[in-house]
């Protein structure tokens, strides 16, 4: 389990409550995942697909941890729904530049919560006839278990709390924090 520690005010002001996963823990986990992904795709031509914007940090660090040569592409999707709840109705804001027919594709995600966005994405990309389609996510929340999706590689299973940092935002802020942490309740009106 990730260790929980109190964070220095100088690192993030009073907005953050605690660090859930440190930069060192993320680095170690990505190295571990990269070794498994290298083994899976040895001798194959791999395309990794990042889902903007949250997956930017994981894509950048995972890609550099891999020995397998990869090409990278990006998708941006928006999930309709009120507030912080995902509805499963998804709109493509930016599609892939790549034709993935016959390619080995790995979707790289920051976090899976309800899993609705991902399950839509798997259907959408799956219909383009890739040679294979697998998923790697840095974080997964408990609700993801309610959806029948196969996630090959998971970094950390985390509690059902709203987290920010390492690509994840609250109102577009905190994406550049090098660690994953929870917000102080006063930030979101708690
Ligand atoms: P899902 O469709 O799995 O419910 O939602 C996936 C998306 O919701 C993620 O890619 C992310 O943008 C957002 N999300 C879900 N949980 C969190 C969280 O704890 N913190 C942040 N910042 N975004 C989250
Ligand atoms: Mg995401
Ligand atoms: Mg967001």
């Amino acid at each position: 389990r990730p260790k929980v520690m109190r964070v220095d005010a100088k690192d993030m002001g009073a907005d953050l409550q605690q660090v859930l996963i440190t930069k060192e823990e993320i680095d170690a986990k990505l190295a571990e995942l990269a070794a498994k992904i290298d083994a899976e795709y040895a001798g194959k031509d791999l395309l990794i697909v990042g889902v903007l914007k949250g997956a930017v940090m994981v894509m950048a660090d995972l890609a550099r941890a891999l020995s397998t040569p990869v090409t990278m592409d990006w998708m941006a999707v928006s999930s309709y729904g009120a507030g912080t709840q995902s509805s499963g109705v998804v709109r493509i804001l930016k599609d892939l530049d790549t034709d993935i027919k016959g390619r080995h594709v790995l979707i790289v995600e920051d976090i899976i919560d309800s899993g609705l966005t991902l399950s839509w994405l798997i259907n959408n990309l799956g219909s383009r006839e890739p040679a294979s389609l697998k998923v790697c996510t840095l974080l997964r929340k408990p609700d993801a278990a309610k959806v029948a999706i196969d996630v090959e590689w998971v970094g950390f299973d985390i509690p059902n709390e709203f987290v920010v940092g390492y690509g994840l935002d609250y109102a577009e802020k905190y994406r550049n924090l090098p660690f994953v942490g929870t917000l102080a309740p006063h930030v979101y009106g708690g």
Side-chain angles (χ1 to χ4, degrees), residues 33-83:
L33 293 177
K36 293 177 182 166
I37 293 169
D38 278 334
E40 173 78 23
Y41 295 99
K44 289 177 183 159
D45 182 29
L46 176 62
L47 171 71
I48 57 175
V49 169
V51 186
L52 294 169
K53 303 169 194 168
V56 165
M57 306 299 177
V58 202
M59 278 284 276
D61 288 341
L62 178 67
R64 284 177 289 185
L66 290 169
S67 305
T68 309
V70 295
T71 49
M72 299 166 86
D73 204 347
W74 303 89
M75 250 180 116
V77 297
S78 117
S79 151
Y80 289 115

Side-chain angles (χ1 to χ4, degrees), residues 23 26-27 30 48 50-65 72 74 108-110 138 164-169 172-180:
K23 181 182 188 303
I26 294 171
D27 289 346
L30 289 182
I48 57 175
V51 186
L52 294 169
K53 303 169 194 168
V56 165
M57 306 299 177
V58 202
M59 278 284 276
D61 288 341
L62 178 67
R64 284 177 289 185
M72 299 166 86
W74 303 89
V108 176
E109 267 286 21
D110 48 356
L138 182 71
V164 295
Y166 200 73
L168 290 155
D169 74 306
E172 294 301 326
K173 288 168 71 183
Y174 314 109
R175 290 192 198 275
N176 64 319
L177 293 173
F179 51 81
V180 174

Side-chain angles (χ1 to χ4, degrees), residues 36-157:
K36 293 177 182 166
I37 293 169
D38 278 334
E40 173 78 23
Y41 295 99
K44 289 177 183 159
D45 182 29
L46 176 62
L47 171 71
I48 57 175
V49 169
V51 186
L52 294 169
K53 303 169 194 168
V56 165
M57 306 299 177
V58 202
M59 278 284 276
D61 288 341
L62 178 67
R64 284 177 289 185
L66 290 169
S67 305
T68 309
V70 295
T71 49
M72 299 166 86
D73 204 347
W74 303 89
M75 250 180 116
V77 297
S78 117
S79 151
Y80 289 115
T84 55
Q85 291 287 321
S86 179
S87 66
V89 183
V90 175
R91 186 165 55 110
I92 297 178
L93 303 177
K94 186 228 168 283
D95 206 340
L96 298 175
D97 297 330
T98 319
D99 179 4
I100 62 169
K101 186 169 179 166
R103 304 283 311 270
H104 293 285
V105 177
L106 176 64
I107 300 172
V108 176
E109 267 286 21
D110 48 356
I111 190 166
I112 305 172
D113 182 10
S114 72
L116 292 172
T117 309
L118 183 61
S119 104
W120 179 91
L121 204 58
I122 288 171
N123 283 330
N124 185 285
L125 297 188
S127 72
R128 305 182 196 192
E129 300 174 48
S132 69
L133 181 61
K134 295 187 194 301
V135 181
C136 174
T137 185
L138 182 71
L139 307 172
R140 181 172 63 184
K141 287 188 179 178
D143 279 351
K146 294 177 191 163
V147 182
I149 35 173
D150 238 10
V151 180
E152 221 77 24
W153 297 286
V154 178
F156 302 92
D157 278 299

